[in-house]
Amino acid sequence: MAGNTPRVGVLALQGAFREHVQALERLGTTAIEVRTPAELAGLDGLMLPGGESTTMDLLLDSSGLREPITAVVADGLPVFGTCAGLILLATDLEDGTEGQRTLRALDVTALRNGYGRQVASFEAAVELTGDDTPMVGIFIRAPRITRVGEGVEVLASIGDEPVAVRSGSIMAATFHPELAHDDRLHARFLERVTTHS
Amino acid sequence: MTLRAFGQNACNDVFDEVNGMSEQGTMGVKSGLAEMLKGGVIMDVVNAEQAKIAEDAGACAVMALERVPADIRADGGVARMSDPEMIIGIQEAVSIPVMAKARIGHFVEAQILQSLEVDYIDESEVLTPADEAHHIDKSKFTIPFVCGATNLGEALRRIGEGAAMIRSKGEAGTGDVVEAVRHIRGILGEIKRLHGMDPDEVYARAKELHAPLDLVQYCAREGRLPVVLFTAGGVATPADCALMMQLGADGVFVGSGIFKSGDPAKRARACVEATTHFRDPAKLAEVSKNLGEAMVGRSAKSIPEDELFAGRGW
């Protein structure tokens, strides 16, 4: 960690990365927008934002970020992905486009657009484990977690449906805490970040 | 409200049972999709094949329409909502969001597009307006709307009617970026001026802008629009995309510029990369190489006043 303030990267190829930068800054970290391999240097954590997963998949290659991100994630860098970010982390993908690849870092199966088109996008109360106050979950053409691998802990759910999970240093949510300005999941992510270095 | 079932959605019932409060069509959900499109390129496509090319090139969404604006301009006549069959063909071909256009004020075309479950409706000046006095009451719809604007007052009137995303109009179908630049500078410049004003000056400015006071106050307080602001109308090259991003747009619509060019797949991909790496001139130079012919284009100034699209709507 550089100094006392953790430096957390936010993948800024496409999507709602600005809102994650703002959430991380509210929590007292230094947020770095990441578009090139050089910007990955010296990070204590990495956020993968929501956006269009097929667009990000293509830009991961053209920016030269796929190999270095795969390497830092394998190295144990704490990562938190939301929506498309969860898709990027999943080991298995249903309904991906032909040839769509993921980082295969989190042992779950993600179903793209799991609830349907935009007409089915919704807001709902999400229950957090170990917290009595639910949070507002905004689900935008959201993926669904259709399989949770062994050793993957459920952090948030709607009924029986897991909507946020963690496995080791990897965290992911199918919804957008950054749009609801509720920083509790970001704070849980940062617990891992500050203990990492 | 209950969640509508799509495919294997047994657990939607669970949602309702546990929460009783899942809600669709909220402003958070409508503007949320626009937030996810930011930093991306939305491309006009006229068939499933073009939609696939756009998706493979990294488009974050496609706009399904029968004729690109350059052809609408060339053909003349009345331009209307596209054939639902064509829109469905595009929805089946790609997994990214599919948008479609309704005529200004034509709320029945919008109802039809909503029943097709398009992801966004563009109430667009590129089509021939159906109502000279009233825009669609967009707050009544579950599907979000994007609307064009040439200035801040127009943008805020559309948001007041329920638009969840704004695009500066530019002049569609020209390949001439000058109007897009004028409109994005106009909208963002006015917001900057508001941001520096005393609160008591904002009331008078709201009156001059013919815009809802609460939305003008929002812009003055936050220094930004309450919704995502894309740009459109004449953007034809990767450099144009990066120009609009550096001027402060959240993302870019490229209409005729891609599929009226020599090598659409390559140009589409170059526009996507330019929109991401918009502050990196070396990268922009690299993606701008060997793109083949750009659309021929037509200077916006050469178009007679009564043939301009941007003047439609108010």
Side-chain angles (χ1 to χ4, degrees), chain A residues 13 15 18 112 123 141 144, chain B residues 11 26 38 95 250 276:
Chain A
L13 296 174
R18 193 193 308 151
R112 277 184 75 218
E123 285 184 31
R141 289 171 45 98
R144 269 173 98 164
Chain B
C11 79
T26 61
K38 284 187 303 193
S95 63
D250 288 322
T276 291

Side-chain angles (χ1 to χ4, degrees), chain B residues 171-188:
Chain B
E171 189 56 34
T174 59
D176 183 352
V177 81
V178 67
E179 293 299 306
V181 169
R182 184 201 315 280
H183 296 156
I184 203 84
R185 277 194 187 276
I187 293 168
L188 293 173

